[in-house]
Amino acid sequence: MEKYDLMSDKAESFINEKEIAYTLAYARKYCADTAMVRHILAKAKEKHGLTHTEAAVLLLNEDREVWHEIAALAEEIKNAYYGNRVVLFAPLYLSNYCVNACTYCPYHAQNRHIFRKKMTQEEIKAEVMALQDMGHKRLALEAGEHPVYNPLEYILESIDTIYGIRHKAGAIRRVNVNIAATTVENYRRLHAAKIGAYILFQETYNKADYQKLHPRGPKADYAWHTEAMDRAMQAGIEDVGLGVLFGLHNYASEFVGLLMHAEHLEAVYGAGPHTISVPRLCPADDIDTADFANALPDGIFLKIIALLRLSVPYTGMIISTREGQRIREAALRLGISQISGGSKTSVGGYAAQDEPEADSAQFEISDRRSLDEVVRWLMEQGYIPSFCTSCYGNGRVGEDFMALCKKQAIHNFCTPNALLTLKEYLDNYAAPATVAVGEKLLREEMAQLPAPRRLYLQKRMDMLKEGKVVFF
Ligand code: SF4
Ligand code: SF4
């Protein structure tokens, strides 16, 4: 077996099973040790993160008081780094043809009864215009892995199509991409196509389970999949997004593996993951969650979210509409900084709003509210819904972004940009009830800004009305 080496370029070395086992044994030994727990909490309060070992000790601690402290600290850290803005995005499924055999995903090649579809460029245009009508500015592209139906050329052409659409009040400003692991050369081409972040979920870090869950297809190669982010970063993509599908394997090992992956990227490339997503196994066509013994209860799921916030305080954290309103509400308080809204997980689902969605959907959506309802709900809880993409547009990516973030200075950009893009949303897309809530929130938030920044922002808002603001 490989030795643990966080600088290694080998998957089994930077995600090392012996190290995970050692970490969990250490955590079991010390999780009820008050002095140790207090020491780790004191370090977390400095807001510069925790190691995977320290975080594992807190994960296995069962004291309710400690949990309340962790929860309060997670919220405090999120506010210190990002303020009270919550970034909104939508997934866009291009094609559900796939040659892989992932046992937890209905797009697996053996599923003969799911409706298969690959959108043409014209259909993509219709889909993107439907998303723009809702007010979306940031998309996450999704496609199965299929060398014939979904080659990289198709993905690149689709990105080009999306960035080229001008419809009503503007354009899609950031396209993140969630496609299968690929070569350095292909990552270079994605980078050249001006993608935002490259996102790839590990699914599970446990190699034996990974192989059982991915019996066939290119994704069956654990090392190829796990080393994908290294290849992406070597190709010049500076913002990468990690995630595991919680419920496939023991949650504590996955949590440790995820943090080891983040530590590896930070150590080797000087920038940890731009985002971490927390998808949890949920029902879908041809998939029965009862087949998975590691399904994660809500309490532990929320604790994982809070501890990720403590461990990698500078990383954006994403929760999707896989989760319902109640869990999303709790997760937002524990450090989530980006959410999807008004999502469809089927191919062509936005333009065909009236057609039954389940036909080609990847998973069942739990939060079925419209984007406008999600925006209003966020504001009613005191968050600023944000459609900002300015870091990407201004080249604040990778190490440069992390440097600002680690100084807890990024919220100086986030808050005014959130207010400006919210104003854009209210003026162009919002329902009257949302406008009323939004204008009140804008007044309150503006009043809290220091005078020079308030005046500058007011000027930008006036320019917005005259169509003179150029968003990136
Ligand atoms: Fe294909 Fe991705 Fe689904 Fe696996 S998870 S079957 S690679 S679409
Ligand atoms: Fe995201 Fe940067 Fe905008 Fe903040 S300023 S919301 S970090 S793009």
Side-chain angles (χ1 to χ4, degrees), residues 265-462:
L265 296 178
E266 166 111 36
V268 177
Y269 303 101
H274 187 67
T275 57
I276 290 182
S277 301
V278 287
R280 186 164 55 149
L281 199 62
C282 72
D285 177 72
D286 203 34
I287 306 297
D288 186 352
T289 41
D291 293 345
F292 296 89
N294 290 297
L296 200 56
D298 292 348
I300 293 176
F301 181 58
L302 292 172
K303 189 171 187 187
I304 284 174
I305 291 171
L307 285 173
L308 287 173
R309 179 46 73 216
L310 266 54
S311 307
V312 279
Y314 45 82
T315 297
M317 282 177 55
I318 303 178
I319 198 163
S320 77
T321 52
R322 276 175 187 268
E323 301 295 337
Q325 178 175 341
R326 182 180 61 84
I327 291 293
R328 300 221 299 168
E329 206 160 299
L332 279 166
R333 282 196 299 276
L334 297 171
I336 291 290
S337 55
Q338 285 190 34
I339 64 170
S340 47
S343 302
K344 300 284 176 189
T345 61
S346 54
V347 182
Y350 296 105
Q353 289 281 353
D354 300 332
E355 288 170 25
E357 194 186 13
D359 284 351
S360 68
Q362 194 187 31
F363 58 86
E364 282 181 19
I365 287 175
S366 294
D367 188 342
R368 297 187 162 274
R369 292 173 297 168
S370 68
L371 176 64
D372 196 64
E373 287 169 316
V374 170
V375 166
R376 191 157 68 237
W377 162 74
L378 285 173
M379 295 190 296
E380 283 165 352
Q381 292 175 84
Y383 298 110
I384 314 172
S386 176
F387 295 89
C388 173
T389 55
S390 87
C391 284
Y392 162 70
N394 286 295
R396 283 192 302 269
V397 294
E399 274 187 80
D400 294 343
F401 173 83
M402 285 300 167
L404 271 171
C405 207
K406 285 179 182 172
K407 279 193 259 168
Q408 296 176 31
I410 199 72
H411 64 87
N412 293 328
F413 295 95
C414 292
T415 304
N417 288 341
L419 294 171
L420 192 64
T421 57
L422 174 62
K423 178 70 177 153
E424 180 194 32
Y425 177 83
L426 297 175
D427 288 352
N428 293 287
Y429 310 102
T434 309
V435 174
V437 179
E439 290 293 350
K440 179 170 174 286
L441 181 88
L442 282 180
R443 284 192 298 277
E444 290 166 359
E445 290 285 339
M446 296 276 282
Q448 288 179 41
L449 292 176
R453 283 171 67 200
R454 185 170 63 244
L455 290 174
Y456 175 73
L457 187 58
Q458 189 56 59
K459 202 168 140 205
R460 300 261 295 160
M461 288 195 182
D462 294 342

Side-chain angles (χ1 to χ4, degrees), residues 26-256:
Y26 181 92
R28 275 190 292 274
K29 185 168 173 193
Y30 289 105
C31 63
D33 179 322
T34 307
M36 171 70 82
V37 168
R38 299 300 334 153
H39 172 74
I40 296 172
L41 280 172
K43 183 178 172 196
K45 282 178 188 153
E46 291 169 13
K47 304 191 180 82
H48 298 304
L50 296 175
T51 64
H52 62 268
T53 311
E54 293 162 340
V57 171
L58 295 186
L59 181 66
L60 299 194
N61 175 283
E62 291 181 349
D63 185 325
R64 291 302 295 167
E65 287 306 310
V66 171
W67 161 239
H68 291 311
E69 254 184 88
I70 290 170
L73 186 54
E75 185 171 19
E76 190 185 319
I77 290 175
K78 192 262 171 179
N79 285 335
Y81 278 88
Y82 289 111
N84 61 341
R85 62 84 168 144
V86 176
V87 169
L88 286 151
F89 75 98
L92 174 59
Y93 284 75
L94 298 179
S95 164
N96 64 358
Y97 285 94
C98 190
V99 292
N100 286 309
C102 314
T103 58
Y104 48 83
C105 172
Y107 291 176
H108 66 80
Q110 288 68 39
N111 187 352
R112 301 278 174 231
H113 52 84
I114 195 168
F115 175 64
R116 301 277 174 182
K117 185 171 169 63
K118 168 191 173 178
M119 283 198 287
T120 63
Q121 298 305 310
E122 280 311 306
E123 286 170 325
I124 292 171
K125 274 187 201 159
E127 198 72 345
V128 171
M129 286 197 271
L131 282 156
Q132 289 184 336
D133 284 340
M134 292 158 67
H136 276 296
K137 303 294 176 193
R138 178 190 286 246
L139 301 183
L141 287 198
E142 314 268 348
E145 180 168 17
H146 200 296
V148 177
Y149 283 104
N150 317 328
L152 190 74
E153 288 67 27
Y154 170 67
I155 306 292
L156 295 172
E157 189 186 0
S158 305
I159 294 169
D160 207 39
T161 298
I162 295 166
Y163 277 138
I165 298 168
R166 297 287 175 275
H167 175 64
K168 290 195 179 162
I172 296 297
R173 300 176 193 137
R174 179 173 172 131
V175 178
N176 295 332
V177 173
N178 183 350
I179 59 165
T182 186
T183 59
V184 173
E185 179 48 32
N186 281 347
Y187 284 125
R188 276 202 194 102
R189 295 171 73 193
L190 283 166
H191 183 48
K194 301 195 183 329
I195 66 166
Y198 172 67
I199 298 166
L200 182 69
F201 297 158
Q202 176 63 29
E203 322 296 10
T204 174
Y205 283 100
N206 181 271
K207 189 176 174 194
D209 272 9
Y210 184 93
Q211 285 170 338
K212 271 186 236 149
L213 293 158
H214 306 96
R216 283 174 298 283
K219 194 169 168 181
D221 186 336
Y222 175 83
W224 177 251
H225 188 80
T226 312
E227 293 159 10
M229 293 312 187
D230 292 75
R231 293 194 299 280
M233 291 185 106
Q234 286 156 15
I237 296 176
E238 292 178 88
D239 292 348
V240 298
L242 302 181
V244 291
L245 183 51
F246 283 105
L248 294 179
H249 181 73
N250 169 289
Y251 70 86
S253 315
E254 301 290 42
F255 174 77
V256 173

